Amino acid sequence: MENPNLQTCPPPMKATSNGAFQHENPLHYSLPLLIIQIILVVSFTRFLALICKPLRQPRVIGEIIGGILLGPSAIGRSQKFLDTFFPKKSLTVLETLANIGLLFFLFLVGLELDMRSIRKTGPKALGIACVGITFPFALGIGTSFAFKATISKDVDTIPFLVFMGVALSITAFPVLARILAELKLLTTDVGRIAMSAAAVNDVAAWVLLALAISLSGSGTSPIISLWVLLCGAGFIIFSVIAIKPLLGLMAKRSPEGEPVKEIYICITLTLVLASSFITDTIGIHALFGAFVIGIIMPKDGPFSEALTEKIEDLVTGLFLPLYFAASGLKTNVATISGSTSWGLLVLVIFTACFGKIVGTIVVSLLCKVPTREALALGFLMNTKGLVELIVLNIGKDRKVLNDQSFAICVLMALFTTFITTPIVMAVYKPARRGAPYKHKTVQRKDLDTELRVLACFHSTRNIPTLVNLIESSRGTRKKGKLCIYAMHLMELSERPSAITMVHKARKNGLPFWNKKPNGDQMVIAFQAYGQLSSVNVRPMTAISALSNIHEDICTSAHQKRAALILLPFPKHQRFDGTMESLGPAFHTMNGLVLSHAPCSVGILVDRGLGGISQVQASDVSYNVVVAFFGGRDDHEALAYGMRMAEHPGVMLTVVKFLAPVGKTLAFGANLVGVTVNKDKKVTKVGDGNNHCEDKQEDEQFWHDFLSISAKSEGSIVYEERLVESKEDVVSVLVGKNKSNLILVGRMPVVAPLVERSDCPELGPVGSYLASSEFSTHASIIVFQQYDPTTDIYPLVMEVSDLSPMSDTSMHDIES
């Protein structure tokens, strides 16, 4: 006879349902339920990450909060919600899938950690790492006695002490790297020390965690713990001796420029799973195996890049949020009740922060790190994240942490990571300083000086026009040569691999150019052109969020002593002639560069100058038009046009627009300047009245042009056009729309030629020339001349005792 008091286990869920028409609820079957769980978790955590973004918080914060809110702390307080979407019998499948995602994520983390750089860690970083582990570890052990006396009376003492010590002493390497990259500190002194120390800390934390796990088995004797540790060490030695050469062989057989064989990817991913199985069998958790394989993987060449590309989006986008959800379902903040629990939460947060921050600051100051940098280092090393959650979850699964102590530690990890970015931004902003330089415009008295141009591009689409423009601008002078810095603008994405790319950046926080072979195909195109021509071409790469990439452009222009920044127009021409926008972020970027540039700026509207391929020097045959209305910006456009006219294949036509006597080219319209005023930049706007000083400058410049034109042997022609209305201006310009290139100033004193424009940064004439109705043939460059009187709040402070950095002295950090 059955005992009615015995609890029966619910039957296991079937995988798939027969559908709603068969009167079956899909949520009672594991596959459809898992799909709904993934959609719910990913959507919710992404939404929270979006909310946290303006606060400059890493995505992991949104994911941790999302997991907690879905659990019994908030939404999960509704038992109906939990029973519908996260029933207990479904959690095994959810956690299994989350842990598979976690395995591959930790493989990626190991792939990012380069043991060569850890071996080269300097004494400063090593000292900071050692104290950053030992001091908080000791405080963690001290804190654990307070827990033992109050809310954790029944747990095993030694495993609990070790787990609490590890929980307080961890620095999250991936989260720290993301914060440093977002704050543009990754390649500064502070960033390098923090990354080196965090890498050492990460490896040490895994060793301590292995120790904690080996000690935490239920009722295990010390001999079993010793066996677990010895077998773990044996597995690491086996991996280095046997598996590493196999991975190295596959990497060697994957040459640059060729696709990596599918079988190599398959073997590596199977090795990750096999290693995870071995470490789980040993008893130190499956995650260790994946992490070890990641660490011993060859870091150079396309093999590791191909692996990262194959798995990172799926892992970080779909599977990893499931781990945060699974963790959040175990976290019940409601268990923290009463003065004792809240007192312990404050104590844990205080000891975690005090141990990491004070320990790091003291050692940094002893190592003669400046006070502000030491403060920043202290808060950076206090970053917690995914690894912290892993430690806490393992502790909870092994019954070392109860519900209350687990919730307290999760909130501590959330708080310490949340405060990092705002505090570091408040205490430390690296001063951008540079030596002053003379030639900040194309227009200059000494034409035999080198013209330095920072040419920016987003994609391969911009390259042929840029190369053809450079070729036709190089002139024939022996002395006044052209030096081009070709900067590839790349958005810093949320992917972990983006951090690896930024790792290769220049050591002083500025974008870098490589002397080593570069895998960037766009950069290779410019290197090839530079070798074939007499132009000095130096490829660079800038990787930043689009919201602040203008800082990289402007600081690089100053460091390279550029006279002109050439920006791509954020629209490209489609086959039918219409202009398609790349998005508002690129328009904003151009506006910010115009506001903060330390030199002149040109915006290139690309309509295929010279076609879609590079034109040989002997084949250059361009008709270039300069529309001259007067004013500083038009001076710059004409100065660039005169430089182009030196090329034997360029025919320059200058059209000077004249207003009738007693009138101006404003034709009674109000002139409005376009600027980003919130960024504290002054823009002078013409008011429709030609001041005597401006008029004299125009006349003097025009006189200089006429004298050069007379000696040009027919390569420069000019015409003066009397215009009585803006319609006359438009008709003159339309007559030139079959030329190859039109140069115009950004802010000439002329009435706007279009009533409304979605690209007002191009000014009254440029916004019309860039429209589809003007031309589908002529490329446009809109110039803004550098004006020192408006450069009141520069991004780079000029310090006269700083010597300019020579290009030959640059080198990359070991990635």
Side-chain angles (χ1 to χ4, degrees):
M1 190 169 171
E2 288 186 16
N3 186 345
N5 295 324
L6 278 176
Q7 283 190 334
T8 56
C9 290
M13 296 176 90
K14 289 184 181 177
T16 55
S17 74
N18 293 320
F21 291 113
Q22 301 283 348
H23 306 293
E24 289 186 355
N25 185 347
L27 295 183
H28 292 164
Y29 296 83
S30 62
L31 179 64
L33 179 59
L34 182 65
I35 291 169
I36 289 294
Q37 287 171 340
I38 292 173
I39 293 169
L40 181 66
V41 168
V42 171
S43 311
F44 190 58
T45 54
R46 280 302 172 111
F47 171 70
L48 288 172
L50 209 64
I51 292 174
C52 292
K53 201 167 187 180
L55 303 172
R56 303 291 289 270
Q57 293 298 331
R59 195 167 81 194
V60 69
I61 287 286
E63 290 172 330
I64 294 174
I65 294 171
I68 293 171
L69 292 180
L70 285 172
S73 305
I75 303 170
R77 290 177 84 91
S78 161
Q79 197 58 43
K80 191 175 182 185
F81 171 82
L82 281 184
D83 291 343
T84 306
F85 294 107
F86 297 100
K88 282 188 177 171
K89 57 185 176 180
S90 76
L91 294 184
T92 305
V93 175
L94 180 70
E95 288 193 20
T96 303
L97 193 62
N99 275 287
I100 285 178
L102 192 60
L103 291 182
F104 285 113
F105 181 75
L106 285 169
F107 166 67
L108 290 175
V109 172
L111 209 53
E112 272 186 52
L113 272 175
D114 193 347
M115 293 306 285
R116 291 171 301 183
S117 60
I118 292 177
R119 282 197 294 270
K120 289 178 187 171
T121 301
K124 276 188 195 176
L126 200 59
I128 288 166
C130 291
V131 174
I133 295 167
T134 51
F135 193 39
F137 192 87
L139 286 177
I141 289 175
T143 309
S144 61
F145 285 112
F147 274 76
K148 281 283 288 177
T150 50
I151 62 171
S152 301
K153 291 177 180 172
D154 302 329
V155 296
D156 291 340
T157 305
I158 292 175
F160 184 66
L161 297 183
V162 178
F163 263 102
M164 285 299 290
V166 173
L168 266 66
S169 60
I170 277 177
T171 297
F173 178 79
V175 182
L176 175 67
R178 170 65 52 189
I179 289 172
L180 287 169
E182 295 261 336
L183 298 179
K184 294 187 190 296
L185 300 179
L186 196 60
T187 47
T188 59
D189 283 340
V190 166
R192 280 205 314 286
I193 294 171
M195 285 299 282
S196 300
V200 174
N201 194 311
D202 218 26
V203 173
W206 284 103
V207 173
L208 289 171
L209 182 56
L211 174 70
I213 291 171
S214 64
L215 293 170
S216 65
S218 52
T220 52
S221 67
I223 292 177
I224 291 176
S225 299
L226 183 64
W227 269 115
V228 169
L229 277 176
L230 288 175
C231 289
F235 167 73
I236 292 171
I237 293 165
F238 171 77
S239 301
V240 172
I241 292 170
I243 302 175
K244 191 177 181 181
L246 174 64
L247 294 169
L249 185 68
M250 290 190 288
K252 203 176 281 183
R253 291 190 173 184
S254 305
E256 196 82 53
E258 291 183 25
V260 176
K261 288 181 182 174
E262 185 265 345
I263 187 69
Y264 293 168
I265 303 286
C266 183
I267 290 170
T268 308
L269 298 183
T270 308
L271 275 173
V272 171
L273 294 173
S275 301
S276 300
F277 174 76
I278 292 167
T279 50
D280 194 75
T281 307
I282 290 170
I284 52 169
H285 209 283
L287 303 176
F288 280 90
F291 185 66
V292 168
I293 296 296
I295 279 188
I296 63 171
M297 271 287 298
K299 304 295 187 279
D300 302 321
F303 186 45
S304 59
E305 288 172 19
L307 272 167
T308 306
E309 276 176 24
K310 299 279 183 198
I311 62 174
E312 72 174 338
D313 286 344
L314 185 67
V315 168
T316 57
L318 280 186
F319 293 157
L320 207 55
L322 295 183
Y323 188 78
F324 291 105
S327 176
L329 289 168
K330 298 176 196 169
T331 309
N332 190 355
V333 177
T335 56
I336 308 173
S337 58
S339 55
T340 306
S341 293
W342 286 106
L344 285 172
L345 175 62
V346 172
L347 176 69
V348 167
I349 289 174
F350 175 76
T351 48
C353 294
F354 184 82
K356 273 283 181 192
I357 296 168
V358 174
T360 304
I361 289 172
V362 169
V363 178
S364 302
L365 292 173
L366 288 174
C367 294
K368 298 187 176 155
V369 174
T371 310
R372 275 192 146 189
E373 296 186 7
L375 261 173
L377 270 173
F379 284 100
L380 285 167
M381 295 303 290
N382 197 32
T383 308
K384 304 281 190 278
L386 179 65
V387 183
E388 175 84 1
L389 275 193
I390 293 168
V391 171
L392 298 176
N393 274 288
I394 293 172
K396 179 114 174 23
D397 293 342
R398 302 236 163 185
K399 306 284 189 293
V400 175
L401 300 174
N402 59 22
D403 288 352
Q404 211 170 338
S405 52
F406 178 75
I408 286 172
C409 290
V410 168
L411 288 185
M412 176 271 292
L414 189 62
F415 178 81
T416 52
T417 308
F418 194 89
I419 63 169
T420 301
T421 308
I423 290 179
V424 171
M425 284 176 72
V427 302
Y428 182 69
K429 182 77 177 171
R432 293 192 180 92
R433 302 194 304 161
Y437 66 101
K438 184 179 176 185
H439 297 301
K440 298 190 174 188
T441 58
V442 179
Q443 180 192 353
R444 57 186 70 173
K445 288 193 173 95
D446 184 4
L447 297 176
D448 281 335
T449 49
E450 183 181 52
L451 177 64
R452 293 179 164 225
V453 178
L454 180 69
C456 304
F457 60 97
H458 301 305
S459 66
T460 49
R461 198 191 304 266
N462 310 125
I463 291 178
T465 293
L466 262 183
V467 170
N468 292 334
L469 179 66
I470 294 164
E471 175 57 43
S472 53
S473 306
R474 64 190 177 101
T476 52
R477 291 196 193 93
K478 291 284 184 284
K479 288 183 185 173
K481 284 195 172 181
L482 189 62
C483 179
I484 300 290
Y485 294 93
M487 179 183 272
H488 183 191
L489 304 177
M490 297 175 73
E491 185 177 6
L492 178 69
S493 70
E494 290 284 351
R495 293 187 173 104
S497 58
I499 302 299
T500 314
M501 289 162 64
V502 185
H503 268 310
K504 297 171 183 171
R506 285 262 303 108
K507 68 168 186 173
N508 60 354
L510 292 167
F512 60 94
W513 63 274
N514 271 337
K515 291 183 207 168
K516 292 183 267 185
N518 197 311
D520 189 336
Q521 296 304 312
M522 303 189 208
V523 165
I524 288 168
F526 279 101
Q527 284 172 329
Y529 168 70
Q531 286 165 0
L532 292 170
S533 71
S534 62
V535 179
N536 197 352
V537 180
R538 311 252 174 100
M540 306 167 69
T541 308
I543 307 167
S544 254
L546 288 180
S547 58
N548 55 25
I549 200 167
H550 69 281
E551 295 177 12
D552 292 4
I553 296 169
C554 294
T555 48
S556 296
H558 194 286
Q559 191 214 8
K560 305 299 183 192
R561 306 194 297 288
L564 178 69
I565 298 171
L566 209 53
L567 295 172
F569 183 55
K571 288 185 178 183
H572 64 82
Q573 184 167 278
R574 298 196 306 203
F575 290 113
D576 61 359
T578 56
M579 301 294 280
E580 184 178 33
S581 177
L582 297 174
F586 290 102
H587 282 279
T588 308
M589 180 198 82
N590 282 6
L592 289 166
V593 174
L594 287 166
S595 295
H596 292 289
C599 59
S600 294
V601 180
I603 297 179
L604 172 63
V605 181
D606 180 6
R607 291 195 178 108
L609 179 67
I612 57 168
S613 60
Q614 184 189 328
V615 177
Q616 296 298 318
S618 57
D619 297 335
V620 169
S621 178
Y622 297 145
N623 287 317
V624 179
V625 174
V626 176
F628 189 86
F629 297 90
R632 299 183 67 100
D633 295 349
D634 279 20
H635 293 188
E636 198 73 353
L638 184 49
Y640 195 84
M642 288 192 286
R643 178 161 191 115
M644 291 187 75
E646 292 173 18
H647 196 291
V650 172
M651 179 72 184
L652 179 68
T653 305
V654 181
V655 182
K656 185 178 184 183
F657 291 85
L658 299 170
V661 178
K663 291 189 177 181
T664 68
L665 292 170
F667 307 121
N670 290 321
L671 304 185
V672 180
V674 180
T675 182
V676 187
N677 287 323
K678 65 179 183 200
D679 286 283
K680 302 178 179 175
K681 187 78 174 186
V682 180
T683 295
K684 282 188 178 175
V685 181
D687 57 3
N689 302 312
N690 261 346
H691 296 296
C692 294
E693 190 181 328
D694 292 343
K695 203 165 185 180
Q696 283 173 357
E697 281 181 12
D698 281 353
E699 286 172 359
Q700 179 61 47
F701 186 66
W702 188 252
H703 179 266
D704 295 343
F705 161 70
L706 290 177
S707 62
I708 291 170
S709 172
K711 303 171 192 169
S712 67
E713 299 176 1
S715 65
I716 301 177
V717 295
Y718 71 91
E719 50 194 76
E720 296 184 354
R721 292 294 186 95
L722 187 69
V723 285
E724 296 184 355
S725 66
K726 66 180 182 181
E727 287 74 20
D728 291 352
V729 176
V730 168
S731 65
V732 172
L733 290 171
V734 168
K736 303 294 180 186
N737 69 0
K738 292 289 184 276
S739 53
N740 300 97
L741 181 65
I742 298 176
L743 311 178
V744 66
R746 176 173 170 252
M747 280 297 168
V749 185
V750 64
L753 302 185
V754 284
E755 295 300 322
R756 295 181 64 187
S757 172
D758 58 353
C759 47
E761 72 271 13
L762 296 184
V765 181
S767 50
Y768 168 66
L769 297 178
S771 64
S772 305
E773 63 192 80
F774 170 69
S775 172
T776 58
H777 178 73
S779 293
I780 316 290
I781 305 180
V782 180
F783 287 91
Q784 172 186 279
Q785 189 177 65
Y786 172 73
D787 186 354
T789 60
T790 63
D791 196 11
I792 298 170
Y793 298 97
L795 282 173
V796 180
M797 296 301 296
E798 293 195 341
V799 183
S800 55
D801 59 348
L802 273 183
S803 59
M805 187 179 276
S806 70
D807 298 325
T808 50
S809 67
M810 295 177 196
H811 62 281
D812 294 331
I813 297 180
E814 278 292 316
S815 58

